[in-house]
Amino acid sequence: MSQVLVYGETAQQVAELAAAARSVDADAVAVALPGDADDASKTGVQKVLALEGVDTVEQAAEALARYALEGGFAGLMAANSVRGQTLAALVAGYADAPMDTDATKLSAKDGGWSIERLLFGGAAVREERMGGFAVATVCPGVFDALSENGASAPVEALAIGSPAGWRIVDEKPIERTGDDITKADRVLGIGMGFKSDDDLTLARRLAEALGAGLGGTRGIVEERHWLDDYIGISGLSIHPDLYVAAGISGSVQHTVGVRDAKVVVAINADKDAAMFKAADYGIVGDFREVAPLLIDALAS
């Protein structure tokens, strides 16, 4: 079986990428920055490549490309995050290799990879094929994470050293709050119909009553900065048993991210909101009035 380098910023991402590697008949070798090796070793990968002498994936890209080509790897898969996209692009450049982004499905075909990605806001699916050493970024939540019963993969150190001209001036970790909604059985999503902190507090109360994770649209995350992750074509794809969309207009960029939900409930004051077309059940009404009624009903 061939091998694929995989890079994710969390153990969950690495486990999903290990599953993506299996879909192209390859074993995954996880790339880990200092301090990440222990987390990556229990994600279903064959081995962990622990980078030494670097602090960022940008510093390691050239050495990783050389390591992969000399080792006969089939390619590299990275999480579809800013850091993952950066590493993928740099490795593809150094390896003079083809690269695809936003993969939602991968398979082995004709000695290479067949990759499916969404176009036009999810209205169309495009299949693309790459042969030889290939690079791809993979959308989060589209592959079920591998589990190897807690077994730890061996760790191999790869000393790289910082390339000339690189110097870390400062670093600040991203502080994340809340649960991982890609794993939740129930999710409450909120949109730009929410205007105030009181609205957000009410949403948190309903999410607690439902036993649900709380997610949002891109505007909620990038404009309001209320939540960490957004649901949609360029954000997270989720597949809960129940998805409740509150105050969400229902653009295709958002609904693509929830199309694998088993049951979708829409709550919106606008009876013509597109979200109702993607829902199994709909409630036409102001969330501020509907939510307290739902909370009381769930408590009884």
Side-chain angles (χ1 to χ4, degrees):
M1 184 177 285
S2 62
Q3 292 182 310
V4 172
L5 287 176
V6 299
Y7 173 74
E9 296 177 46
T10 65
Q12 174 69 19
Q13 290 178 354
V14 175
E16 291 179 8
L17 291 167
R22 292 284 178 88
S23 73
V24 296
D25 300 330
D27 286 325
V29 174
V31 175
L33 291 172
D36 294 340
D38 289 342
D39 289 339
S41 67
K42 297 182 179 180
T43 54
V45 297
Q46 184 186 56
K47 182 173 67 177
V48 177
L49 192 63
L51 306 184
E52 296 181 347
V54 295
D55 296 288
T56 70
V57 293
E58 292 90 339
Q59 294 170 311
E62 183 176 7
L64 281 175
R66 184 168 57 251
Y67 176 90
L69 292 174
E70 292 175 353
F73 281 73
L76 175 139
M77 297 179 184
N80 198 37
S81 61
V82 173
R83 192 179 293 175
Q85 291 168 346
T86 300
L87 176 66
L90 289 171
V91 168
Y94 285 124
D96 193 21
M99 174 179 168
D100 217 332
T101 60
D102 306 322
T104 58
K105 185 177 180 180
L106 296 100
S107 60
K109 198 164 190 176
D110 300 329
W113 296 355
S114 172
I115 296 176
E116 290 187 6
R117 57 196 301 267
L118 302 176
L119 297 178
F120 310 118
V125 178
R126 179 184 178 95
E127 180 186 7
E128 300 174 345
R129 299 181 189 177
M130 295 191 291
F133 185 85
V135 178
T137 63
V138 181
C139 293
V142 298
F143 286 93
D144 291 329
L146 284 189
S147 173
E148 297 295 328
N149 299 318
S152 295
V155 177
E156 174 188 334
L158 178 63
I160 295 176
S162 298
W166 280 94
R167 182 169 64 91
I168 301 299
V169 177
D170 190 19
E171 59 181 76
K172 181 179 180 182
I174 297 175
E175 296 181 2
R176 309 182 73 83
T177 59
D179 298 325
D180 183 353
I181 59 174
T182 63
K183 298 179 181 179
D185 293 328
R186 301 172 184 177
V187 176
L188 171 64
I190 62 174
M192 296 299 280
F194 285 66
K195 305 296 185 184
S196 68
D197 290 342
D198 289 340
D199 293 342
L200 180 59
T201 298
L202 185 57
R204 293 191 188 280
R205 287 180 54 206
L206 178 57
E208 183 178 358
L210 286 167
L214 184 62
T217 61
R218 187 168 189 162
I220 288 293
V221 173
E222 295 188 350
E223 295 179 29
R224 301 271 169 81
H225 304 290
W226 283 356
L227 300 172
D228 293 325
D229 296 308
Y230 66 87
I231 302 164
I233 187 171
S234 57
L236 298 178
S237 295
I238 61 174
H239 39 82
D241 294 331
L242 171 66
Y243 177 63
V244 180
I248 295 175
S249 62
S251 68
V252 67
Q253 286 84 359
H254 177 78
T255 57
V256 163
V258 300
R259 62 181 178 178
D260 291 330
K262 292 181 180 178
V263 177
V264 177
V265 177
I267 304 172
N268 203 300
D270 179 6
K271 63 181 179 61
D272 296 319
M275 195 68 220
F276 286 122
K277 296 179 181 179
D280 299 289
Y281 301 95
I283 300 174
V284 179
D286 188 324
F287 180 80
R288 300 163 191 81
E289 298 175 0
V290 173
L293 298 176
L294 291 175
I295 293 169
D296 289 344
L298 290 166
S300 62

